[in-house]
Amino acid sequence: MAKGLIWATAEDLARNRGRVLSLYRQILRSLDSPKLTMNLAARLAKKAEACAIFMLGAEEESLHNIEDLIDTGEYALSLLRKGDIPKYIQ
């Protein structure tokens, strides 16, 4: 992501697309994990919240903020895999 200095260019966004889509799918799959003690309604609500977070993040144009959002998503995924619910999704 070195093409744009501060703001993301189309190339920067295209380069991150696969990484973000993969992260999004993994988070949605992790919310279905039997390790999480949630009923169906809670799972659907958490999935909707994750969808909303990713939709808001899609509008971000700052390279630094995009990297921070990806790092936060990877951290949230690691917590979900352990069976914990991240704070911002609780």
Side-chain angles (χ1 to χ4, degrees), residues 11-49:
E11 292 174 10
D12 294 329
L13 296 176
R15 212 177 354 260
N16 283 325
R17 181 184 169 136
R19 186 173 169 198
V20 171
L21 285 175
S22 174
L23 184 60
Y24 176 66
R25 290 180 186 133
Q26 289 176 32
I27 287 175
L28 290 182
R29 274 190 229 119
S30 295
L31 286 170
D32 282 332
S33 172
K35 290 181 182 179
L36 300 175
T37 56
M38 294 188 295
N39 61 20
L40 179 62
R43 287 180 195 278
L44 292 175
K46 299 304 176 198
K47 285 182 178 184
E49 188 175 342

Side-chain angles (χ1 to χ4, degrees), residues 67-80:
E67 278 299 316
D68 288 343
L69 288 170
I70 290 173
D71 290 342
T72 302
E74 289 171 349
Y75 175 70
L77 181 61
S78 71
L79 289 178
L80 285 169

Side-chain angles (χ1 to χ4, degrees), residues 44-87:
L44 292 175
K46 299 304 176 198
K47 285 182 178 184
E49 188 175 342
C51 179
I53 290 169
F54 273 84
M55 288 179 82
L56 288 173
E59 297 175 1
E60 186 58 53
E61 295 180 358
S62 168
L63 291 176
H64 302 293
N65 290 349
I66 291 170
E67 278 299 316
D68 288 343
L69 288 170
I70 290 173
D71 290 342
T72 302
E74 289 171 349
Y75 175 70
L77 181 61
S78 71
L79 289 178
L80 285 169
R81 287 183 175 159
K82 291 179 188 174
D84 296 333
I85 300 174
K87 293 263 187 230

